Amino acid sequence: QVQLVESGGASVQAGGSLKLSCVASGYISGRRGMGWYRQAPGKERSLVSYLSDDGTTTDDDSVKGRFTISQDNGKNTLYLQMNNLKTEDTAMYYCAAVYETGGLINSYWGSGTQVTVSS
C-alpha cells in the first residue's frame, strides 16, 4: 500500500506564494507518476500538474508560468511551488500517485490540503 500525506496549504492573499508538499510512504512497483489535483466547492476534481517518472510534466493551462511541480531525488516527496496565486486557485489540493501493475492502472490519493486565496 502507498500512503500520501499533503502539507503546506494555508490562507494567503492574491499575489502570494505557497509550496505544497506530498510525502509518499510504502512501496509497490510500477509507479508511473505523481501529480497534484484540486477541487473547489461545487466543482469536480481536476488536474493541476502531473510529473511522469520519465520527467515529463503536464500542467493545466490556468497554472502555466505560475506553478512548478518537482520531486526530491529519492522521489518520495512531491512539491508544488505556487506563485502569483489568484482567488480562483482556492481549492482543496490533493496529491495522487499512479501505478501500473499487470496492465491495470491504480491511483492512490492523499486526504488533501486546503489553499485559500483572498483578494
Side-chain angles (χ1 to χ4, degrees), residues 82-94:
M82 305 187 295
N83 298 327
N84 190 21
L85 282 159
K86 303 176 180 181
T87 56
E88 51 264 43
D89 295 320
T90 295
M92 184 71 79
Y93 283 70
Y94 297 91

Side-chain angles (χ1 to χ4, degrees), residues 14-15 19 26 53 86 89 91 100-101 103 117:
K19 186 173 185 177
D53 267 22
K86 303 176 180 181
D89 295 320
E100 180 180 356
T101 305
V117 185

